Structures are given as structure tokens and as C-alpha cells.
Amino acid sequence: MSLVSPKSLKPVAPSPHGEGYRIYMETFGCQMNEYDTELVRSIMKARGFQFTPVDEEADVILFNTCAIRENAHNRLYGHLARYKARKKERGLVIGVLGCMAQNLKEELLETRSWIDVLVGPDAYRRLPDLLTDALEHQRKGLAVDLSEYETYAHIVPDRTGGINGWIAVMRGCDNFCAFCVVPYTRGRERSRDPEGILEEAQRLASQGVRQITLLGQNVNSYRSGVWDFARLLVAVAEVPGIQRVRFTSPHPKDFPPALLEAVAQHPIICNQIHLPLQSANDRILERMARGYTRREYLTLVEAIMKKGPIVLTTDLICGFCGETDEEFQETYDLVKEMEYQAAFVFKYSERKHTIAARKYPDNISEQVKGYRTNEIIELQKEISLRNNQALIGHEVEVMIEGHSKKSDQQWMGHTESNVTVVWPKTAQSGLPGDLVSISIHDATPSTLYGMTPTS
Ligand code: SAH
Ligand code: SF4
Ligand code: F3S
């Protein structure tokens, strides 16, 4: 391998910058990946590496990747192509981490020869040695063993999230939904000890975090001894200083009554549940191996609504193998009826190794998939706009999270039901982490606009 690595660089701590080697890191994919990036930062810093937000200053470029749909792959390929040229100009080590590394393994190294290091989600403890080897000895490194035990217990994530904190309470997924690559990229389900999770929540609170999101591919499967997810959620909500707790994602097939009770009753646990439907047609649900029927999903929704006011959001897949126009229409009609707060709608994308890839032809054309996806996106936009417009003239409680994307003269935050709110800063408008009342005067499908009430 011809890697032009500056020979003066020493492993770990010392470097030509008088500090450790510098890493520039980009993260794609879900919140679990954001959390893993915090773990990687911590692991690398403990070995003397530094992080830089400027890629031109970096010795190492790391991508923490997602494999959930083909467009996630394509995004990474675009980024990698850019760094191929830069690597030729000056010595750079390029590492690919996360779900795509796990899913494609050697194939990625073979087709993109300028990648030096490939590390899957269960092997981050090996990253410092592999990167040092690549930097010092120009050796390629591959670590893609999945583990039944690795939960990164005792690694304190190096946070960058301000008043928002994430805690992965479990890793992996055993559900094997037919379309999904996650069980292959993240391996078997395993839960962390509640003690470690509560310690982490207390630490986050002491660092100024006010809102915690508990993460797992299937959080309601959390189990550690006598602890289930509902008990854990309540215990996190009881941590002094934490003002809001959220969680994602629960699976509709095993949503326990105790969890619903916790969401409905506990003032700190937000009244919003992400309940991925995927499809409203029973034949498709069965093909997807989701483990619930349309009726069972609706029975759960009824139970949730009885406890009301709880807001629902969802995920949907359009154009799954063999989905007919009528079957799609059932999903469309149910979305119309459900009036979700938000829906994340995806074109089905066949993933290697999955049950669907092995069993069913991916036989819906791109055009039809695109058409169906847009139909539901447009429908949901109308629903979200209507819901949001209903708040015009009312006051909503919002947690200040930081500046809005557009201006540092505006604050951005979310309502308890997770709608984004933007409003102008004023002298008395508070600081990140504060819960404030905002009077709404305008709405789009995704954002409420308001101001601090005058009296
Ligand atoms: N564990 C989470 C899902 C994580 S993936 C859960 O079960 O809720 C997030 C979403 O991506 C899924 O809910 C699904 O709607 C979508 N998705 C997963 N695999 C997909 C695929 N192959 N094609 C299109 N969308 C997919
Ligand atoms: Fe994928 Fe299903 Fe597991 Fe979610 S529950 S990560 S969709 S296999
Ligand atoms: Fe993507 Fe892996 Fe998350 S496939 S959605 S980064 S679990």
C-alpha cells in the first residue's frame, strides 16, 4: 500500500502538531450512530488522539456510516471519492466505521482501495491500534467481529450535544424485519446494566444536559435482571436536573402497558411515541415479518389514545416487494385517518443479506415507489400543517435548545410533542435548557414560529 504518511509522526500522544494525531470525523445515520461517534471520540482521546472540525488540518478522516438504504451508501461513496484525491496530495489515513463497514466488509476495501481502516459497530475498542498501525506502518486494518456482549460499558461518551444527551441502553436487534439490515450490521440484542445507565444520566445532568433520549433499535426489549424498559425509563426521569426524557424506537409488537402508563403519567417523560407502522396491509406486514397485524396496531393505538393526550409519529415504507396499488392505498388511507404528528416515509431499498432480498423479488419499479412515497409525504405535509396551524394564537411550552439554523438572533427548541419552534431572542428570553412559554403566530408543516409573550 502506498500511503504517504509523515514519518515524523509518533503513535498516540506526540505528533508534528505537538499534540496527538488529528481526526476529522463525519457521522451519518441514526441517533445510535451519533451516540457511537461520542464513544469513538472518547476511546480515541483516551489514547492521545485529537479531533478537529477542519478536515484540511486532519491526519485521519473517519466516516461513521449508515447502511439502511442505498442512498446512505451513495452518500458515503460521494464523500470517499473527494478524499481519494486529497489523500494523493498529502498523507491521510481514511477510516470507515459503522453499519456500512460491517455490512460490506472486504468488498468495501477491495472496491475503494484508498480506505485504510474498516471497523464495525462492535469493534471500536480496536480503533486506536488500527489507526496507529495505518499511520505508522501503512498497514490496512479490518475489525468487523460482532459481539454478543459489547455494550461499551465504562466508556464515558465525549459529548458534543449541548443540553441534549443520548444514552444507548441496548445494542443490536433480534427482530429481523424482512427488509432491514440492522440485525446484520449491529448483531444480537444486548442490554446495559441499569446502574451504568443511571450513572450516565446523572453525569449528563451534572454537565448541564436537560433532555435525555434513551436509544435502542428496539428499546422496549430492554431487559437486565428484573429491570424492564418502563422501570428504566422512570428511573432516568427521576434523575435530578433532567427535565425531559424521550426514547426511540419502541416496536409496536411488544409495547407493554407499564410503558404506556409511564408515558401517560410521568411529567418528565414526553407525551410522544414513535410507533413505526411500515404498512397498513396485513399481507405486506406479514411479508415484512413485523409481528403485528393492522388490527393489533390499531388496538394499541386505541389503548394509547385512551390515556391521551399522547402524540404519535411513525415510519412507513412504500413499494415493498409485491405491494399492489390496493395494498398501498390501505396504508395511504390509514395515514389519513391516523393524523400522525409526523411520518418518515421511505422508498423500499433492497438490502444485502436480508430475508426480503433472499425471498422476494424487488419488483416494484423505482417510478412507482417514488410516486407512492411522494403521495404519502404530501398527505402528511397537509396533516402536519393543519395540526401546527391549530396552535396559532396559543402558547406552547418549549425547551430552549440553541440557536436556530438560520440565525443566532433566534432560539430553536421543541414542544413536548417534539415539534420544532423558532422565535426571536429577547433580553428576557432565557438560556439553553430553560423551559419557556412561546406564543405561536405562524406555522409550516415542520416548524412553529412564535415570540416570547409580552405580558
Ligand atoms: N429499529 C427501528 C428502525 C430503524 S430503521 C424500528 O424498528 O423502529 C428506521 C426506519 O427505516 C424503519 O422504521 C423503516 O421504516 C426504514 N427502513 C429500514 N430498512 C429499510 C429499507 N430496506 N428500505 C426502506 N426503508 C427502510
Ligand atoms: Fe430493523 Fe425491525 Fe430491528 Fe427495527 S425492529 S432495527 S426495523 S429489524
Ligand atoms: Fe443506519 Fe446503522 Fe442506524 S444502518 S439507521 S446507522 S443502526
Side-chain angles (χ1 to χ4, degrees):
M1 186 181 103
S2 60
L3 173 70
V4 203
S5 178
K7 288 287 185 232
S8 59
L9 299 187
K10 285 268 173 276
V12 289
S15 85
H17 328 297
E19 311 145 356
Y21 293 119
R22 289 181 186 157
I23 300 174
Y24 170 80
M25 186 161 180
E26 280 190 48
T27 308
F28 308 106
C30 61
Q31 285 173 312
M32 188 67 92
N33 253 18
E34 299 283 347
Y35 181 83
D36 281 0
T37 289
E38 294 180 355
L39 289 175
V40 166
R41 291 175 61 91
S42 172
I43 292 168
M44 299 311 297
K45 280 186 172 180
R47 292 282 299 273
F49 286 80
Q50 307 273 312
F51 282 80
T52 168
V54 186
D55 62 349
E56 271 113 18
E57 285 178 0
D59 309 302
V60 178
I61 307 288
L62 291 182
F63 296 106
N64 193 3
T65 62
C66 174
I68 203 82
R69 284 169 288 273
E70 196 55 29
N71 54 9
H73 281 202
N74 292 337
R75 226 172 132 203
L76 177 76
Y77 293 145
H79 280 67
L80 281 174
R82 268 199 282 126
Y83 285 99
K84 180 184 181 182
R86 295 223 200 144
K87 180 167 172 162
K88 270 203 190 124
E89 287 159 22
R90 65 190 186 90
L92 260 186
V93 162
I94 297 180
V96 176
L97 319 183
C99 290
M100 234 175 121
Q102 189 66 40
N103 203 30
L104 298 183
K105 302 188 184 80
E106 289 89 347
E107 184 187 322
L108 202 51
L109 280 182
E110 278 157 23
T111 57
R112 309 279 185 303
S113 59
W114 61 101
I115 297 175
D116 302 293
V117 170
L118 210 60
V119 180
D122 282 349
Y124 294 143
R125 289 180 201 264
R126 293 184 54 196
L127 188 59
D129 287 341
L130 293 176
L131 283 183
T132 305
D133 244 17
L135 285 156
E136 293 293 313
H137 307 293
Q138 295 81 56
R139 257 188 235 128
K140 292 220 179 207
L142 176 71
V144 287
D145 304 320
L146 286 174
S147 155
E148 286 178 37
Y149 309 103
E150 180 63 272
T151 59
Y152 297 106
H154 313 300
I155 292 180
V156 178
D158 183 57
R159 296 188 49 254
T160 49
I163 64 118
N164 280 310
W166 295 283
I167 307 180
V169 300
M170 54 162 322
R171 300 179 72 86
C173 182
D174 287 350
N175 277 337
F176 290 92
C177 299
F179 50 80
C180 184
V181 77
V182 170
Y184 308 88
T185 64
R186 292 198 164 252
R188 299 291 53 78
E189 245 171 53
R190 64 218 100 118
S191 297
R192 286 174 59 187
D193 293 337
E195 293 77 21
I197 295 168
L198 291 172
E199 245 173 56
E200 196 166 328
Q202 283 151 4
R203 187 178 328 107
L204 290 176
S206 72
Q207 291 169 349
V209 167
R210 294 291 165 261
Q211 174 165 263
I212 288 185
T213 306
L214 300 185
L215 301 176
Q217 289 306 334
N218 190 13
V219 276
N220 42 344
S221 305
Y222 176 87
R223 186 153 286 281
S224 175
V226 295
W227 285 70
D228 62 6
F229 185 64
R231 180 170 174 190
L232 181 74
L233 185 65
V234 170
V236 170
E238 303 277 298
V239 169
I242 298 303
Q243 302 200 46
R244 278 182 175 177
V245 177
R246 301 182 187 277
F247 58 98
T248 195
S249 293
H251 196 296
K253 82 173 159 52
D254 45 21
F255 198 101
L259 180 55
L260 178 51
E261 209 53 44
V263 174
Q265 300 299 333
H266 203 293
I268 299 289
I269 302 171
C270 290
N271 64 354
Q272 176 240 330
I273 300 176
H274 187 61
L275 205 60
L277 170 67
Q278 313 299 358
S279 162
N281 171 268
D282 279 340
R283 189 184 73 99
I284 296 297
L285 282 173
E286 196 181 343
R287 278 197 154 194
M288 286 177 166
R290 283 292 286 176
Y292 54 84
T293 60
R294 171 194 174 95
R295 178 93 308 270
E296 283 162 348
Y297 184 92
L298 290 177
T299 305
L300 173 60
V301 169
E302 271 166 35
I304 295 173
M305 289 309 148
K306 268 197 203 132
K307 298 278 176 195
I310 295 172
V311 162
L312 295 181
T313 55
T314 202
D315 289 346
L316 299 158
I317 296 180
C318 295
F320 185 63
C321 314
E323 184 188 63
T324 63
D325 284 339
E326 294 72 28
E327 287 165 339
F328 165 72
Q329 192 63 41
E330 271 190 55
T331 305
Y332 183 92
D333 291 343
L334 190 62
V335 171
K336 198 169 190 175
E337 222 176 279
M338 286 285 304
E339 301 208 346
Y340 291 106
Q341 168 77 46
F344 303 91
V345 194
F346 307 108
K347 274 200 288 188
Y348 171 61
S349 169
E350 187 177 82
R351 309 318 295 140
K352 258 196 190 155
H353 309 304
T354 58
I355 297 165
R358 282 178 271 140
K359 247 173 116 173
Y360 309 119
D362 178 15
N363 57 0
I364 307 299
S365 72
E366 273 305 298
Q367 199 190 359
V368 171
K369 283 180 187 172
Y371 173 77
R372 291 179 184 169
T373 306
N374 285 339
E375 286 281 285
I376 299 199
I377 289 175
E378 286 309 315
L379 168 65
Q380 184 57 45
K381 265 194 200 160
E382 284 169 27
I383 297 169
S384 301
L385 180 62
R386 248 196 340 265
N387 286 344
N388 287 351
Q389 281 175 336
L391 291 167
I392 294 177
H394 294 267
E395 282 183 23
V396 294
E397 191 183 56
V398 187
M399 181 176 283
I400 306 180
E401 290 175 41
H403 298 147
S404 81
K405 274 186 207 144
K406 292 206 182 116
S407 157
D408 61 7
Q409 298 308 305
Q410 291 178 326
W411 285 128
M412 183 282 296
H414 289 87
T415 63
E416 185 181 348
S417 51
N418 217 11
V419 183
T420 308
V421 184
V422 172
W423 68 101
K425 282 184 185 176
T426 59
Q428 317 78 28
S429 64
L431 288 170
D434 290 349
L435 283 168
V436 294
S437 186
I438 298 298
S439 165
I440 302 303
H441 59 70
D442 204 358
T444 67
S446 60
T447 312
L448 297 169
Y449 295 90
M451 58 204 291
T452 314
T454 39
S455 60

